[in-house]
Each structure stands twice: as C-alpha cells, then as structure tokens.
Amino acid sequence: MLLIATVLTAVVIAIHVYIVLIETVLFRTRGRKVFGIKEGQVDALAALMSNQGCYNGFLVAMLAVGLLHPDAHIGRAFVIFGLVCVAIAGVWGAATASRRILFVQTVPAGLALAAWLAA
C-alpha cells in the first residue's frame, strides 16, 4: 500500500507542476486556453494567476519534501498535510471557480490520502 500511496502522491505532484506552469510561465498561451480566458483579459489576470501558481508551487514543494525526507515519520506528516491542503483547495476551487477542479485536484489528492492512511 505504501508504494501505491507514493505513486498517487507523485501523480498529485505532477498535476500540480503542470498547474504551476500553466498559471505562471505558460499563462499567456496554454494557460489562457485551459482556463478559458479571453485575449483581452490576459494582461489583467496575469499577476493574479502567477500568484496562484506560486501557491501551487508550495504544495508541490511540501509533497516533494514529504516523499524525499530521510525520516519517514516527518516525511509522512508533510505528505498528509500537503494532500489535505490540496484536497481543501480543490473543494474551494470547485465551489468558487469550476467544478472541474474537484476532479483534477481533490479526487487525486483524496485517493492518495486514503492510500497513505491505509498504509
């Protein structure tokens, strides 16, 4: 079960690396298309999206530290906290922005969290 938990956490990390990229570096191109933002709104939203991408980067960092930490107990605490944060952010995003976020963020994080709790 630990292997499944680790793999699912790595999937959550990969999803969030992609989110960071489309909210920051790729916002004016790919990000605009992914989020359905009109060309005229890009300049007004770029700074806000970059800030949001920064927060998603912190989630990536927290989960990566958890998986790579030499002390398994400390690493597990980082991972559990990180997955809970991702899941809550996904619920909030689904409630305030798009229901799709629930499936992109909360479901993978919830599955990974369940696997860690079962491990």
Side-chain angles (χ1 to χ4, degrees):
M1 189 55 87
L2 184 58
L3 177 60
I4 292 170
T6 301
V7 168
L8 289 172
T9 302
V11 168
V12 172
I13 289 171
I15 290 168
H16 279 76
V17 166
Y18 177 69
I19 291 170
V20 169
L21 289 174
I22 63 172
E23 288 177 344
T24 57
V25 178
L26 303 173
F27 177 68
R28 294 178 185 280
T29 56
R30 177 79 182 132
R32 183 179 70 78
K33 293 174 188 170
V34 168
F35 297 118
I37 295 171
K38 295 176 185 169
E39 183 83 30
Q41 297 174 307
V42 171
D43 288 335
L45 296 175
L48 294 172
M49 293 303 288
S50 183
N51 185 53
Q52 190 168 307
C54 182
Y55 285 100
N56 278 298
F58 293 139
L59 294 173
V60 168
M62 186 179 343
L63 293 172
V65 165
L67 289 184
L68 300 172
H69 200 283
D71 184 320
H73 295 298
I74 293 172
R76 180 182 170 98
F78 269 95
V79 170
I80 298 293
F81 182 65
L83 291 171
V84 168
C85 288
V86 169
I88 291 170
V91 169
W92 184 255
T96 60
S98 168
R99 284 197 178 150
R100 183 176 63 163
I101 295 171
L102 190 69
F103 301 102
V104 172
Q105 280 186 248
T106 304
V107 170
L111 292 172
L113 184 59
W116 278 101
L117 296 175

